């Protein structure tokens, strides 16, 4: 495993996101289209997505911004705008397009869908952010993008 991929997985874990959490979302998106899809297939697909350089860069950038905001390191007003996850901010949904764009239209439509339904870990991150316990303004969208890309990958391989 490349060392950058190892770092990305470690940083996700430090922020409360395990590969298996993302794989469970992928399973939920894809199980109905397969005769027998396993959680291992989903873990494998997520792991492949996280191996890509663009994805690693997006993960590390998102976490760096969220952590800087938690420490109030950015200038105002942008620190508060990101911390409050202002619905008109929107830049947190643009960064993950660097991931989704690699995996095509199935990834893109699932990305929009996950942002609405907030399955599993996505909902947990959103809740922690709303309670102001942590800032996950960027990370929740990155998780949506990795899950939807891993789902698209499975769909195309079928
Ligand atoms: Mg967000």
């Amino acid at each position: 495993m490349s060392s950058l991929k190892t770092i990305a997985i470690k940083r996700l874990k430090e922020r409360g996101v395990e590969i298996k959490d993302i794989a469970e979302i992928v399973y939920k998106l894809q199980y109905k289209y397969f005769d027998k899809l396993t959680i291992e297939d989903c873990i494998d697909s997520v792991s492949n997505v996280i191996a890509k350089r663009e994805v690693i860069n997006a993960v590390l950038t998102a976490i760096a911004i969220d952590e800087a905001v938690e420490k109030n390191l950015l200038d105002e007003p942008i620190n508060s705008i990101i911390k409050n996850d202002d619905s008109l901010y929107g830049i947190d949904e643009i960064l993950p397009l660097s991931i989704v764009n690699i995996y095509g239209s199935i990834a893109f439509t699932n990305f929009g869908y996950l942002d609405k339904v907030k399955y599993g870990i996505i909902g947990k991150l959103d809740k922690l952010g709303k309670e102001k316990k942590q800032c996950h303004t960027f990370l929740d969208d990155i998780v949506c993008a990795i899950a939807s890309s891993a789902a698209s990958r499975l769909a195309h391989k079928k």
Side-chain angles (χ1 to χ4, degrees):
M1 207 193 308
S2 85
S3 60
L4 272 175
K5 182 184 176 189
T6 312
I7 292 168
I9 291 170
K10 178 171 162 276
R11 297 290 284 131
L12 283 168
K13 201 169 175 176
E14 284 168 4
R15 300 296 290 172
V17 179
E18 305 267 357
I19 301 284
K20 188 159 184 292
D21 298 325
I22 309 178
E24 280 165 8
I25 301 167
V26 176
Y27 184 84
K28 235 173 151 161
L29 288 172
Q30 288 295 313
Y31 76 91
K32 46 185 165 322
Y33 306 112
F34 288 78
D35 290 334
K36 54 177 181 52
L37 180 69
T38 66
I39 197 75
E40 284 71 31
D41 297 330
C42 299
I43 289 173
D44 183 62
S45 192
V46 170
S47 178
N48 267 282
V49 169
I50 298 181
K52 282 214 187 300
R53 189 59 182 263
E54 297 94 323
V55 180
I56 293 167
N57 287 340
V59 165
L60 297 180
T61 304
I63 293 174
I65 296 171
D66 283 346
E67 285 186 342
V69 166
E70 278 174 9
K71 294 174 189 155
N72 299 313
L73 292 176
L74 303 189
D75 292 334
E76 288 301 347
I78 199 61
N79 202 87
S80 295
I81 290 171
I82 298 174
K83 192 182 275 184
N84 295 331
D85 204 359
D86 190 305
S87 58
L88 295 176
Y89 176 58
I91 311 298
D92 50 330
E93 282 141 41
I94 303 300
L95 176 65
L97 296 182
S98 64
I99 298 174
V100 176
N101 282 341
I102 308 169
Y103 292 93
S105 59
I106 299 177
F108 191 76
T109 50
N110 276 316
F111 176 66
Y113 176 69
L114 286 177
D115 186 45
K116 294 282 161 272
V117 294
K118 300 190 194 304
Y119 287 152
I121 188 69
I122 301 165
K124 270 188 211 162
L125 293 173
D126 187 60
K127 189 162 173 278
L128 284 168
K130 286 211 169 74
E131 290 167 351
K132 300 278 182 294
K133 287 183 176 142
Q134 284 181 313
C135 175
H136 294 299
T137 298
F138 277 84
L139 185 58
D140 61 351
D141 296 288
I142 292 292
V143 173
C144 288
I146 295 172
S148 55
S149 298
S152 173
R153 210 181 146 270
L154 284 171
H156 283 288
K157 276 181 67 185
K158 200 173 155 237

